[in-house]
Amino acid sequence: MRRNKYREAIFFIFIAVVLVTGCSTKHIAQAPSGNLASISNNISEIHINGAGQGVDDRLLHDLEKYLKAKLIIAGFDIDDEKEGMTLAVDVKTFSPGNAAARLIIGFGAGRGSLIYTAKYISSDGKVFAEMEGQERFTGLEVGFNNEYGGATTLQGADKARNVLVQEAAKHIVELTASR
Protein backbone atom coordinates (compact mmCIF):
# COMPACT_ATOMS: atom_id res chain seq x y z
CA MET A 1 0.00 0.00 0.00
CA ARG A 2 2.72 2.43 0.98
CA ARG A 3 4.68 1.73 -2.21
CA ASN A 4 1.66 2.75 -4.30
CA LYS A 5 1.51 6.11 -2.52
CA TYR A 6 5.20 6.69 -3.26
CA ARG A 7 4.69 5.71 -6.87
CA GLU A 8 1.75 8.10 -7.17
CA ALA A 9 3.78 10.91 -5.63
CA ILE A 10 6.76 10.25 -7.88
CA PHE A 11 4.50 10.05 -10.93
CA PHE A 12 2.82 13.36 -10.01
CA ILE A 13 6.20 15.08 -9.54
CA PHE A 14 7.42 13.64 -12.85
CA ILE A 15 4.37 14.96 -14.73
CA ALA A 16 4.72 18.38 -13.09
CA VAL A 17 8.39 18.61 -14.10
CA VAL A 18 7.64 17.54 -17.67
CA LEU A 19 4.97 20.22 -18.05
CA VAL A 20 7.24 23.06 -16.91
CA THR A 21 10.55 22.07 -18.49
CA GLY A 22 10.12 24.15 -21.61
CA CYS A 23 8.48 27.41 -22.33
CA SER A 24 9.75 30.88 -21.79
CA THR A 25 10.86 33.00 -18.94
CA LYS A 26 11.07 36.71 -18.80
CA HIS A 27 12.38 39.00 -16.16
CA ILE A 28 10.88 42.45 -16.42
CA ALA A 29 13.67 44.71 -15.23
CA GLN A 30 11.50 47.81 -15.63
CA ALA A 31 7.76 47.54 -16.16
CA PRO A 32 6.06 50.36 -18.02
CA SER A 33 3.98 52.70 -15.87
CA GLY A 34 1.05 52.06 -18.19
CA ASN A 35 0.27 51.02 -21.72
CA LEU A 36 3.12 52.33 -23.88
CA ALA A 37 0.76 53.01 -26.79
CA SER A 38 -0.81 55.77 -24.69
CA ILE A 39 2.62 57.44 -24.38
CA SER A 40 3.47 57.08 -28.06
CA ASN A 41 1.88 54.83 -30.61
CA ASN A 42 4.83 55.22 -32.97
CA ILE A 43 7.99 53.17 -33.07
CA SER A 44 10.45 55.31 -35.00
CA GLU A 45 13.40 52.90 -34.82
CA ILE A 46 13.98 49.22 -34.21
CA HIS A 47 17.58 48.34 -33.38
CA ILE A 48 18.41 44.66 -33.23
CA ASN A 49 21.94 43.80 -32.21
CA GLY A 50 23.18 40.25 -32.28
CA ALA A 51 26.84 39.82 -31.51
CA GLY A 52 26.21 36.79 -29.33
CA GLN A 53 27.02 33.14 -29.76
CA GLY A 54 25.16 31.44 -32.61
CA VAL A 55 23.44 34.63 -33.76
CA ASP A 56 23.36 35.20 -37.51
CA ASP A 57 21.85 37.80 -39.85
CA ARG A 58 18.94 35.55 -40.77
CA LEU A 59 17.86 35.27 -37.13
CA LEU A 60 18.05 39.06 -36.70
CA HIS A 61 16.10 39.65 -39.92
CA ASP A 62 13.37 37.19 -38.87
CA LEU A 63 13.13 38.75 -35.41
CA GLU A 64 12.74 42.23 -36.91
CA LYS A 65 10.08 40.97 -39.33
CA TYR A 66 7.99 39.33 -36.58
CA LEU A 67 8.44 42.30 -34.24
CA LYS A 68 7.15 44.72 -36.85
CA ALA A 69 4.15 42.51 -37.60
CA LYS A 70 3.24 42.04 -33.94
CA LEU A 71 3.72 45.75 -33.14
CA ILE A 72 1.38 46.71 -35.99
CA ILE A 73 -1.21 44.20 -34.78
CA ALA A 74 -0.87 45.68 -31.26
CA GLY A 75 -1.75 49.12 -32.65
CA PHE A 76 1.66 50.73 -33.10
CA ASP A 77 2.80 52.63 -36.17
CA ILE A 78 6.30 51.99 -37.44
CA ASP A 79 7.39 55.21 -39.09
CA ASP A 80 10.93 56.56 -39.01
CA GLU A 81 9.65 59.93 -40.30
CA LYS A 82 7.67 60.58 -37.09
CA GLU A 83 9.08 61.00 -33.60
CA GLY A 84 8.46 58.00 -31.41
CA MET A 85 9.99 55.31 -29.25
CA THR A 86 12.97 53.19 -30.11
CA LEU A 87 12.86 49.45 -29.58
CA ALA A 88 16.34 48.11 -28.87
CA VAL A 89 16.84 44.33 -28.77
CA ASP A 90 20.16 42.69 -27.94
CA VAL A 91 20.26 38.99 -28.83
CA LYS A 92 22.85 37.37 -26.57
CA THR A 93 22.79 33.69 -27.58
CA PHE A 94 20.91 31.40 -29.91
CA SER A 95 20.95 27.65 -30.34
CA PRO A 96 18.37 25.75 -32.40
CA GLY A 97 19.01 22.60 -30.39
CA ASN A 98 18.88 19.09 -31.80
CA ALA A 99 15.62 17.57 -33.05
CA ALA A 100 16.91 13.99 -32.74
CA ALA A 101 17.85 14.48 -29.09
CA ARG A 102 14.48 16.15 -28.39
CA LEU A 103 12.68 13.16 -29.86
CA ILE A 104 14.79 10.27 -28.61
CA ILE A 105 15.90 11.47 -25.18
CA GLY A 106 13.48 14.26 -24.27
CA PHE A 107 13.49 15.92 -20.84
CA GLY A 108 15.33 18.99 -22.13
CA ALA A 109 17.95 17.21 -24.23
CA GLY A 110 18.27 18.91 -27.60
CA ARG A 111 16.58 22.03 -26.29
CA GLY A 112 16.75 25.16 -28.43
CA SER A 113 17.20 28.55 -26.79
CA LEU A 114 17.17 32.25 -27.52
CA ILE A 115 18.36 34.71 -24.87
CA TYR A 116 17.89 38.45 -25.34
CA THR A 117 17.18 41.81 -23.71
CA ALA A 118 14.66 44.35 -25.00
CA LYS A 119 14.13 48.03 -24.17
CA TYR A 120 11.58 50.61 -25.20
CA ILE A 121 13.33 53.99 -25.11
CA SER A 122 11.91 57.51 -25.53
CA SER A 123 13.35 59.96 -28.04
CA ASP A 124 15.18 61.72 -25.19
CA GLY A 125 16.79 58.47 -23.95
CA LYS A 126 14.44 57.56 -21.07
CA VAL A 127 13.84 53.82 -20.74
CA PHE A 128 10.09 53.18 -20.61
CA ALA A 129 10.30 49.41 -20.24
CA GLU A 130 13.01 46.75 -20.16
CA MET A 131 13.05 42.98 -20.02
CA GLU A 132 15.43 40.03 -20.16
CA GLY A 133 13.92 37.14 -22.08
CA GLN A 134 14.79 33.48 -22.39
CA GLU A 135 12.90 31.42 -24.91
CA ARG A 136 13.28 27.66 -24.67
CA PHE A 137 12.06 25.01 -27.05
CA THR A 138 12.15 21.47 -25.73
CA GLY A 139 9.25 20.07 -27.72
CA LEU A 140 7.20 19.39 -24.59
CA GLU A 141 5.51 22.78 -24.54
CA VAL A 142 1.75 22.59 -24.40
CA GLY A 143 0.18 23.91 -27.60
CA PHE A 144 3.35 24.42 -29.66
CA ASN A 145 2.38 21.80 -32.23
CA ASN A 146 -1.05 23.43 -32.53
CA GLU A 147 0.30 26.97 -32.87
CA TYR A 148 3.36 26.36 -35.05
CA GLY A 149 2.31 23.36 -37.12
CA GLY A 150 2.16 19.63 -36.68
CA ALA A 151 5.27 17.74 -35.64
CA THR A 152 7.10 20.93 -34.63
CA THR A 153 9.24 18.93 -32.23
CA LEU A 154 10.50 16.67 -35.00
CA GLN A 155 11.57 19.43 -37.35
CA GLY A 156 15.07 20.80 -37.61
CA ALA A 157 16.99 24.00 -36.91
CA ASP A 158 14.93 26.24 -39.23
CA LYS A 159 11.68 25.40 -37.48
CA ALA A 160 13.27 25.80 -34.02
CA ARG A 161 14.62 29.23 -35.01
CA ASN A 162 11.21 30.23 -36.36
CA VAL A 163 9.39 29.17 -33.18
CA LEU A 164 11.92 30.84 -30.86
CA VAL A 165 11.88 34.10 -32.82
CA GLN A 166 8.08 34.23 -32.89
CA GLU A 167 7.88 33.58 -29.16
CA ALA A 168 10.47 36.31 -28.47
CA ALA A 169 8.59 38.80 -30.66
CA LYS A 170 5.33 37.97 -28.87
CA HIS A 171 6.87 38.55 -25.43
CA ILE A 172 8.65 41.75 -26.45
CA VAL A 173 5.39 43.24 -27.73
CA GLU A 174 3.50 42.02 -24.63
CA LEU A 175 5.87 44.18 -22.60
CA THR A 176 4.17 47.29 -24.03
CA ALA A 177 1.06 46.56 -21.97
CA SER A 178 2.68 45.01 -18.85
CA ARG A 179 2.04 46.48 -15.45
Side-chain angles (χ1 to χ4, degrees):
M1 227 27 177
R2 188 165 223 159
R3 280 189 173 162
N4 285 340
K5 288 183 181 180
Y6 288 129
R7 285 182 187 159
E8 289 174 8
I10 290 170
F11 180 73
F12 175 75
I13 291 169
F14 172 76
I15 294 298
V17 168
V18 165
L19 290 176
V20 298
T21 56
C23 305
S24 307
T25 60
K26 59 183 176 182
H27 169 70
I28 298 176
Q30 180 178 342
S33 58
N35 189 327
L36 290 183
S38 65
I39 296 169
S40 174
N41 72 337
N42 187 53
I43 305 290
S44 58
E45 296 180 62
I46 297 176
H47 294 290
I48 301 178
N49 179 31
Q53 177 182 354
V55 180
D56 62 9
D57 289 339
R58 186 172 169 197
L59 175 92
L60 301 177
H61 177 268
D62 288 351
L63 181 57
E64 182 176 6
K65 176 178 71 173
Y66 285 113
L67 278 170
K68 285 180 178 179
K70 291 193 181 294
L71 284 165
I72 290 169
I73 290 169
F76 287 91
D77 294 327
I78 300 174
D79 186 355
D80 59 359
E81 302 290 321
K82 292 180 8 185
E83 188 172 315
M85 292 182 285
T86 297
L87 172 56
V89 180
D90 183 25
V91 180
K92 297 180 179 189
T93 62
F94 167 71
S95 170
N98 183 301
R102 280 194 296 272
L103 176 65
I104 296 168
I105 301 169
F107 305 105
R111 169 181 63 199
S113 65
L114 177 65
I115 301 172
Y116 59 92
T117 59
K119 294 180 188 177
Y120 288 92
I121 306 167
S122 70
S123 57
D124 63 354
K126 178 184 174 193
V127 176
F128 287 129
E130 181 178 358
M131 72 176 279
E132 297 171 6
Q134 298 180 9
E135 307 301 332
R136 306 281 190 222
F137 179 61
T138 64
L140 297 173
E141 294 83 0
V142 176
F144 264 47
N145 286 332
N146 295 334
E147 189 169 341
Y148 296 109
T152 301
T153 302
L154 306 177
Q155 296 181 25
D158 287 341
K159 186 65 168 186
R161 179 182 52 251
N162 188 283
V163 168
L164 291 166
V165 164
Q166 286 188 57
E167 285 291 302
K170 177 173 73 172
H171 292 128
I172 290 168
V173 173
E174 285 174 351
L175 180 62
T176 64
S178 295
R179 283 192 173 208

